[in-house]
Amino acid sequence: MTTSTAGPKTLDPRPAERQRLAITGMTCSACSARIQRALEKTEGVHSAHVNLMTNTAAVEYDPAVTSPERLIGTVEKTGYGASIPMEHAHGGHVHLATPVKPWWPLIAFAFAMVISMLLDGAPDAKAHSVDPLMKLMHPITESLQRMMPWTRDVSASTWRWILLAITTPVVLVSGRHFFTRAWSAAKHGGADMNTLIALGTGAAMLFSVATTVAAPWFERQGVAPAVYYEAVVGIIALIVLGQYFENRAKGRASEALERLLALRPSTVRVIRGGADITLPIEQLRPGDIYRVRPGESIAADGVITEGRGAVDESMLTGEPIPVERGVGDAVTGGTMSRTAALQVRVTHVGADSVLTRIVELVRSAQETRAPIQRLADRIAAIFVPIVVAIAIIAALAWYFAGPEPRVLNALVALVTVLIIACPCAMGLAVPTAVMVGTGRGAEMGILIRGGEAIERGDKVNIALLDKTGTITEGRPRVTGIRLAPGATVTEPQLVLLAAAVERASEHPLAEAVVSAVASGVTIPQATGIEVSAGMGIAGDVNEHRVVIGNTTWLAEQGIDTTPLQAAADEAGSRGATPVFVAVSTSLALLEISDPVRPTSAAAIAALKDEGITPVLLSGDRRSTAEAVARMVGIEKVEAEVSPARKLEVVREYQSRGNRVVMVGDGLNDAPALAQADLGIAMGGGTDVALETAAVTLLRNDLQGVPDALGLMQKTMKVIRQNLGWAFIYNIIFIPVAAGVLYPSLGLRLTPTMAAAAMAFSSVSVVTNSLRLRREARGKRREAPATQPSSHPAISRGSHHVHH
């Protein structure tokens, strides 16, 4: 499905296919940035988006030039794993790494800390006096020795060997992947989070092993035989713990889609040969008829063939009030029959179903990158090499200008800077918020197509609102007929002839005319149909020339509407739409009323509260448009606007420096939806409007517009908070880890403290994003729910022609 959130773009004439890849081995934004650069440089690739949050890559490519296998090879050449994911039976799922259980490394860390304290208190130990963490632990060390007096007699060398025995399995098992991935990245000319961890823990481990094995030699060189096993174990344990909680939080971020997929039952009762047969839902086929009992979920998209009752569609629309459905009405898999036993004929299953297409749309949105992400990507591309340089400079400064023991101080500075600077939080800042925000939107009946749409929605200040089907219900009916003096046709004849012509159109006003024909009356066939978009329609019926439309259209056909102009003005002042009908020499006026949605006034008030100016946009005459605007509290009106003019209106507002959101539902809204900074399509609209819009409201309720914009604003607020924290964390803690506060305050960080801070930064970013899951949970209204005929946001719709 092609989407756009801005103006018209020049499309690549080559055919494009989209392929999703599951990526393994990514740990930070440097990883995702390197994979994305490699894919973008691959011949035949149009675009690539790598998502650290979902561990996926979404690639658009020319199948004549490259293939999924070559894309996988490109990823593998960068040192990471890639595969074509096995899709969920009824939709996709997020490919998250299985969290490594951190418990035994934490237990090992606890033992290592205790033994390190005892080592620090050994009679022949002098090394740990340089470690500020060990200094803080002195009271605990003394307590331990009082509790276990025999520990005072154990030599420092013995404690070192015990620490080596504890640390080695932690490094080889829990920490092994840091070293293997760092080596893989190095072989491909890259560096990432694993590089920093491997260098830091590796340096500390090697120095500790050397001083354990050859302590006398170090003492002869004037270097205290210090060991940092507790730091190595602590770094690995705390980072694994952070990744564990991070992955669990990521799982919670994807729960919105999993909850949607879980709404469908796993089995279904199908009627075969007059008997009920229970089948797995995967075996359901179009044309099958199945049963739904009261309180059961509807298994698949279909049409009701028997029964009538309330259906809960809240999983699609976000509205808790069930709607009435009966024979001939469409129902959606995953919704629930509250009160009735139904029989449903299947129309769509699997990938063609509404629920699966919603999930796919949201997944695609979660895989896109917000423009604000580019800043983090640019920094990540050069971050690791810069951190390594800072660590080396800090180590040299401590060695040549620092206090004794210089070697140990230099080592601590090197390891601490490398560990604390891992850019995990930076890489997770944007995709976590986008993922949670779009998932929450899906639960609210709001489909947001990616990070760019979210970013655009945060900045709008003008809302152009189409009248018919947006502010009004889009289900007009004929409420009055006026014949001009000298007319030679009766009202029933007039309606019948007009309906014959209007039957060629699917515009709501045309449907109102057709619906006005008495039941049981056969509508004749019209020929010579001529349509002027936004103006009217004409045709021949039983030797009569029938012209229907506005004053301008009839004037072009040589017809004078003056005799009924006053009546048309009076109808317009009441909010009705006057439609002129000329049958040969007879002139008439149809008054068509379209009720204003019950929630429109409240929605427009909410937009104003957010500082967004609403503007009513309508093809109707000014008096009608202004009457509707008064009903809902809109001051600015753009009336008598043709389809082409709608696009110009959007551009005019943009040219004045405004950021414009366009809300509509029809075919003639599509150009304006595409041109606007943000396009929002109502759920009852056509496919073309829905495909062009950046946001789709699955419920026919204007209140969804402020709800959507509010969600986008809160998502962008969280993104800014996440990025701010990620940048501030690195800006503050890297210099502190290097030792800039030591000369003035005597303040230093240990490698273990650095590991804890780094793990906390990543978890805090994900946790902050999860706050969006609670967004708008209390906003669901108790107003009567509108009843969409279907959900064309993700199904097949018809194109309307507006008069």
Side-chain angles (χ1 to χ4, degrees), residues 44-407:
V45 171
H46 297 181
S47 66
H49 301 288
V50 180
N51 193 319
L52 177 64
M53 179 68 185
T54 59
N55 295 322
T56 59
V59 187
E60 287 191 0
Y61 67 98
D62 183 350
V65 179
T66 190
S67 65
E69 290 73 22
R70 290 185 62 185
L71 298 177
I72 290 173
T74 298
V75 175
E76 290 175 343
K77 287 178 182 177
T78 63
Y80 300 87
S83 62
I84 298 175
M86 294 294 293
E87 299 296 343
H88 197 287
H90 298 291
H93 61 279
V94 179
H95 301 280
L96 298 177
T98 301
V100 176
K101 296 297 188 294
W103 314 126
W104 86 266
L106 285 172
I107 293 171
F109 175 46
F111 275 106
M113 282 298 297
V114 169
I115 294 172
S116 294
M117 288 187 282
L118 295 173
L119 165 62
D120 196 54
D124 56 341
K126 303 175 183 178
H128 279 78
S129 59
V130 302
D131 191 325
L133 185 61
M134 288 298 110
K135 289 181 181 179
L136 292 174
M137 296 295 182
H138 279 164
I140 301 176
T141 302
E142 292 172 357
S143 298
L144 288 172
Q145 288 179 331
R146 284 196 298 270
M147 292 170 58
M148 298 179 288
W150 58 269
T151 60
R152 296 179 184 274
D153 300 325
V154 180
S155 69
S157 176
T158 302
W159 289 127
R160 292 188 197 110
W161 282 102
I162 293 173
L163 282 170
L164 175 59
I166 292 174
T167 306
T168 301
V170 175
V171 172
L172 295 180
V173 179
S174 297
R176 180 175 179 272
H177 64 282
F178 296 125
F179 294 91
T180 57
R181 290 172 181 173
W183 175 246
S184 179
K187 286 193 299 184
H188 296 90
D192 56 22
M193 183 196 88
N194 298 294
T195 305
L196 301 180
I197 296 171
L199 286 174
T201 57
M205 184 69 178
L206 289 174
F207 183 86
S208 300
V209 171
T211 55
T212 299
V213 173
W217 183 86
F218 279 90
E219 290 174 343
R220 287 196 297 272
Q221 307 305 315
V223 177
V227 293
Y228 290 94
Y229 293 118
E230 84 287 348
V232 174
V233 177
I235 289 167
I236 292 173
L238 290 172
I239 292 174
V240 171
L241 179 66
Q243 290 177 339
Y244 175 78
F245 284 118
E246 180 185 306
N247 275 282
R248 288 190 60 181
K250 286 180 181 180
R252 290 197 296 273
S254 68
E255 283 178 359
L257 296 190
E258 298 298 332
R259 281 196 296 269
L260 284 177
L261 289 169
L263 290 172
R264 252 183 316 214
S266 57
T267 61
V268 59
R269 287 182 301 279
V270 181
I271 302 174
R272 296 267 176 90
D276 289 2
I277 301 174
T278 300
L279 297 174
I281 194 171
E282 294 83 1
Q283 296 182 19
L284 206 57
R285 297 291 178 265
D288 285 340
I289 295 178
Y290 65 91
R291 295 187 191 276
V292 183
R293 293 172 181 167
E296 285 186 342
S297 293
I298 292 170
D301 300 356
V303 175
I304 296 174
T305 60
E306 184 179 307
R308 184 174 191 84
V311 175
D312 183 351
E313 298 183 341
S314 59
M315 72 91 176
L316 282 177
T317 65
E319 292 290 350
I321 300 176
V323 294
E324 194 74 13
R325 296 288 185 231
V327 175
D329 288 336
V331 290
T332 304
T335 58
M336 180 180 290
S337 177
R338 288 291 188 188
T339 60
L342 306 174
Q343 288 186 17
V344 180
R345 185 181 72 252
V346 178
T347 55
H348 300 91
V349 296
D352 292 330
S353 68
V354 168
L355 191 58
T356 300
R357 293 182 67 172
I358 287 175
V359 170
E360 184 59 31
L361 283 172
V362 177
R363 271 208 333 180
S364 296
Q366 292 175 345
E367 290 171 348
T368 63
R369 299 168 81 82
I372 198 171
Q373 175 74 41
R374 294 169 191 153
L375 174 62
D377 289 344
R378 286 196 296 269
I379 293 174
I382 58 173
F383 186 78
V384 174
I386 289 176
V387 168
V388 172
I390 292 173
I392 293 172
I393 291 170
L396 292 174
W398 278 95
Y399 182 76
F400 288 107
E404 294 289 349
R406 292 180 298 166
V407 174

Side-chain angles (χ1 to χ4, degrees), residues 619-638:
D620 272 333
R621 56 172 39 208
R622 179 160 292 277
S623 59
T624 301
E626 289 180 344
V628 172
R630 284 193 298 273
M631 293 179 194
V632 296
I634 295 178
E635 289 79 31
K636 291 190 176 184
V637 176
E638 299 284 347

Side-chain angles (χ1 to χ4, degrees), residues 20 319 529 606 670 717 765:
R20 180 180 290 107
E319 292 290 350
I529 297 295
K717 182 179 179 180
V765 162

Side-chain angles (χ1 to χ4, degrees), residues 336-687:
M336 180 180 290
S337 177
R338 288 291 188 188
T339 60
L342 306 174
Q343 288 186 17
V344 180
R345 185 181 72 252
V346 178
T347 55
H348 300 91
V349 296
D352 292 330
S353 68
V354 168
L355 191 58
T356 300
R357 293 182 67 172
I358 287 175
V359 170
E360 184 59 31
L361 283 172
V362 177
R363 271 208 333 180
S364 296
Q366 292 175 345
E367 290 171 348
T368 63
R369 299 168 81 82
I372 198 171
Q373 175 74 41
R374 294 169 191 153
L375 174 62
D377 289 344
R378 286 196 296 269
I379 293 174
I382 58 173
F383 186 78
V384 174
I386 289 176
V387 168
V388 172
I390 292 173
I392 293 172
I393 291 170
L396 292 174
W398 278 95
Y399 182 76
F400 288 107
E404 294 289 349
R406 292 180 298 166
V407 174
L408 299 183
N409 285 327
L411 177 66
V412 169
L414 175 75
V415 174
T416 305
V417 171
L418 290 174
I419 297 303
I420 206 165
C422 295
C424 304
M426 197 183 306
L428 293 168
V430 178
T432 52
V434 170
M435 185 172 187
V436 179
T438 52
R440 179 67 192 123
E443 291 183 317
M444 297 167 61
I446 301 167
L447 297 185
I448 304 171
R449 300 172 192 253
E452 185 176 358
I454 290 174
E455 194 163 337
R456 289 177 179 274
D458 181 51
K459 301 174 183 177
V460 299
N461 65 317
I462 295 289
L464 297 180
L465 308 173
D466 183 50
K467 180 179 78 68
T468 303
T470 301
I471 293 175
T472 65
E473 292 185 355
R475 294 182 292 173
R477 58 190 180 89
V478 176
T479 54
I481 302 174
R482 189 78 62 88
L483 296 174
T488 59
V489 295
T490 64
E491 289 185 5
Q493 289 174 330
L494 176 82
V495 171
L496 187 63
L497 293 170
V501 175
E502 290 282 27
R503 195 164 57 172
S505 169
E506 293 179 353
H507 185 277
L509 299 184
E511 295 174 5
V513 174
V514 175
S515 299
V517 176
S519 60
V521 177
T522 302
I523 299 176
Q525 187 69 36
T527 59
I529 297 295
E530 181 183 354
V531 177
S532 176
M535 303 285 283
I537 190 170
D540 299 312
V541 186
N542 296 338
E543 299 182 355
H544 293 286
R545 182 64 175 171
V546 181
V547 181
I548 309 170
N550 60 23
T551 303
T552 304
W553 171 242
L554 268 71
E556 290 180 4
Q557 304 296 314
I559 300 168
D560 181 17
T561 59
T562 303
L564 292 175
Q565 197 63 54
D569 293 340
E570 193 272 334
S573 68
R574 289 184 281 103
T577 301
V579 176
F580 292 101
V581 182
V583 179
S584 298
T585 59
S586 299
L587 180 67
L589 181 74
L590 299 179
E591 183 176 317
I592 301 178
S593 298
D594 186 9
V596 171
R597 296 186 189 277
T599 56
S600 291
I604 287 160
L607 288 174
K608 291 180 178 179
D609 289 343
E610 295 297 326
I612 299 172
T613 302
V615 180
L616 187 145
L617 195 61
S618 175
D620 272 333
R621 56 172 39 208
R622 179 160 292 277
S623 59
T624 301
E626 289 180 344
V628 172
R630 284 193 298 273
M631 293 179 194
V632 296
I634 295 178
E635 289 79 31
K636 291 190 176 184
V637 176
E638 299 284 347
E640 301 175 14
V641 177
S642 66
R645 172 70 181 145
K646 286 185 178 182
L647 177 62
E648 294 174 8
V649 170
V650 174
R651 288 174 174 166
E652 287 173 6
Y653 276 94
Q654 288 174 325
S655 68
R656 299 172 201 155
N658 296 301
R659 302 300 295 266
V660 176
V661 55
M662 170 70 195
V663 186
D665 75 329
L667 175 64
N668 60 13
D669 297 326
L673 288 169
Q675 175 62 39
D677 297 285
L678 182 74
I680 299 181
M682 299 291 285
T686 66
D687 273 354

